[in-house]
């Protein structure tokens, strides 16, 4: 029995997924990047803030020994800025500082794991 190939969501389905995921800042950002950048889950899980160049608008995605730069649109850069501020505020509540090498998507307040 052949396993059917997954199909991409329609534009309306993608919008619904992003809207639902945006109820959680981390999940919303994760889903947004997955859909707009085309990064795989593993690539996003390994993403660190040092991989985001806010000045040039370039995200460097690393996969093993390979890396690829992805130019981000202004809206995505704005969303990443807001998410970074959210992460820093959550860490500050606990008296923790997040560093540049912190993971973008982490359950740890300091972003180290």
């Amino acid at each position: 029995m052949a396993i059917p190939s997954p199909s991409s969501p329609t534009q309306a389905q993608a919008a619904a997924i992003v809207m639902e995921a945006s109820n959680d800042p981390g999940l919303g950002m994760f889903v947004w990047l997955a859909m707009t950048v085309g990064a795989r889950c593993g690539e996003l899980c390994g993403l660190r803030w040092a991989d985001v160049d806010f000045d040039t608008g370039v995200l460097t995605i690393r996969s093993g020994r390979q890396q690829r730069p992805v130019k981000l649109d202004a809206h995505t850069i704005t969303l990443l800025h807001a998410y970074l501020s959210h992460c820093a505020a959550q860490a500050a509540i606990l008296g923790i500082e997040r560093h540049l090498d912190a993971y973008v998507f982490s359950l740890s307040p300091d972003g180290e794991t």
Side-chain angles (χ1 to χ4, degrees), residues 7-57:
S7 59
S8 299
T10 65
Q11 190 173 13
Q13 290 169 329
I17 291 167
V18 169
M19 288 303 295
E20 184 64 29
S22 68
N23 290 323
D24 175 274
L27 180 59
M29 191 74 251
F30 190 93
V31 169
W32 179 263
L33 283 178
M35 288 190 173
T36 60
V37 173
R40 296 185 302 261
C41 289
E43 293 172 330
L44 291 176
C45 287
L47 192 63
R48 294 179 184 262
W49 285 111
D51 297 326
V52 181
D53 187 332
F54 287 103
D55 294 330
T56 62

Side-chain angles (χ1 to χ4, degrees), residues 15-111:
I17 291 167
V18 169
M19 288 303 295
E20 184 64 29
S22 68
N23 290 323
D24 175 274
L27 180 59
M29 191 74 251
F30 190 93
V31 169
W32 179 263
L33 283 178
M35 288 190 173
T36 60
V37 173
R40 296 185 302 261
C41 289
E43 293 172 330
L44 291 176
C45 287
L47 192 63
R48 294 179 184 262
W49 285 111
D51 297 326
V52 181
D53 187 332
F54 287 103
D55 294 330
T56 62
V58 173
L59 174 70
T60 301
I61 297 178
R62 302 174 197 286
S63 179
R65 293 185 176 173
Q66 297 178 340
Q67 63 182 19
R68 63 184 161 99
V70 177
K71 183 71 174 160
L72 301 173
D73 61 87
H75 183 68
T76 300
I77 293 168
T78 299
L79 291 173
L80 279 167
H81 266 294
Y83 181 58
L84 176 58
S85 295
H86 168 79
C87 292
Q90 294 298 308
I93 289 170
L94 299 171
I96 298 170
E97 183 179 339
R98 288 179 65 101
H99 299 283
L100 189 59
D101 63 342
Y103 287 98
V104 174
F105 303 106
S106 173
L107 295 177
S108 174
D110 61 8

